[in-house]
Amino acid sequence: MQKVFILLLLCPASAQELPLAADDECSAAAGAADCALSALQLRGTAGAEAEVSCHDVQPGENCYNEIQWARTDGIGAHPDWYPGLTPDSPTVEFQAIVHNKAPGKCPLPCSVKQTRKWCEAPPAAKLWAPAAEGGEVNVKILSYNLFWWNLFRMRHGNGESAGQLIKSEWAKAPFDVMGFQECEDGVRVLQPVGLLEEYAVLQ
């Protein structure tokens, strides 16, 4: 069987979803040869230019209570959740980790420099223009948010539950393309359930 690439998406959970009209992939002013084939390319450009709001937490805010728990209880019980930190680490460093794991609990801190994500980088090069002729082609695509920090860091794969679910659906009809969000290692997902030989991993 011909191997198919898997696209592993590692966009941060805090990335803003930017609205695109149905025809935004191709500008009316641009010729067909200049058509940006993928809306993801435009979304990446817009995301790089969008300003992400930030806020350093203050005492009395809900996030501050989360940080205090992390400092007094969480880091002792689960030191692997807070790599590089000690109970005496600055509040903003705890806030950054809580935000990265659960953005709804804490806002992005302003005082901690964030690592640039791939989806904030310049857009990919333009691809070929779509051809008008040709018959219909059926393509089966899987999009799966693995919540890696929870499924693999905290629950250690949960008995390969993600891979088993993928395999059960794959058995009905193989996926042509699989896209994983919040995935740190595609091999770790597919190899234990025997699907790695069917696909090549692109990360």
Side-chain angles (χ1 to χ4, degrees):
M1 176 182 292
Q2 184 178 6
K3 292 186 177 181
V4 181
F5 285 110
I6 303 171
L7 177 63
L8 304 176
L9 304 178
L10 286 167
C11 292
S14 59
Q16 296 176 344
E17 184 71 9
L18 301 171
L20 291 176
D23 60 348
D24 273 352
E25 295 91 334
C26 302
S27 169
D34 295 325
C35 175
L37 185 62
S38 172
L40 181 60
Q41 291 175 296
L42 287 180
R43 199 180 300 278
T45 304
E49 297 172 352
E51 180 180 355
V52 179
S53 62
C54 63
H55 169 69
D56 288 343
V57 68
Q58 301 298 321
E61 299 177 2
N62 290 336
C63 172
Y64 190 83
N65 296 333
E66 292 285 345
I67 291 171
Q68 290 303 103
W69 178 89
R71 189 191 302 276
T72 59
D73 299 309
I75 197 169
H78 305 282
D80 55 309
W81 293 4
Y82 310 95
L85 299 189
T86 70
D88 297 323
S89 294
T91 297
V92 291
E93 293 184 8
F94 274 98
Q95 180 182 347
I97 287 185
V98 174
H99 169 79
N100 289 336
K101 292 182 178 297
K105 291 185 176 181
C106 281
L108 179 72
C110 301
S111 304
V112 175
K113 184 177 180 181
Q114 297 296 311
T115 302
R116 189 174 178 85
K117 307 297 183 179
W118 77 267
C119 47
E120 295 172 339
K126 290 183 179 179
L127 305 178
W128 58 89
E133 67 276 2
E136 292 185 357
V137 176
N138 292 323
V139 179
K140 186 176 180 180
I141 299 174
L142 170 68
S143 175
Y144 196 164
N145 189 327
L146 294 166
F147 294 102
W148 190 273
W149 68 272
N150 184 294
L151 181 58
F152 288 96
R153 292 184 184 175
M154 295 178 62
R155 296 191 286 159
H156 309 291
N158 191 35
E160 312 305 335
S161 59
Q164 295 293 351
L165 179 60
I166 293 169
K167 186 174 183 179
S168 66
E169 290 300 317
W170 179 90
K172 301 173 185 176
F175 296 104
D176 296 290
V177 178
M178 293 192 288
F180 297 154
Q181 185 181 358
E182 295 188 46
C183 177
E184 295 182 4
D185 186 356
V187 174
R188 171 69 180 84
V189 179
L190 299 181
Q191 190 172 46
V193 296
L195 289 179
L196 188 59
E197 294 181 359
E198 304 293 335
Y199 297 91
V201 178
L202 175 64
Q203 184 160 0

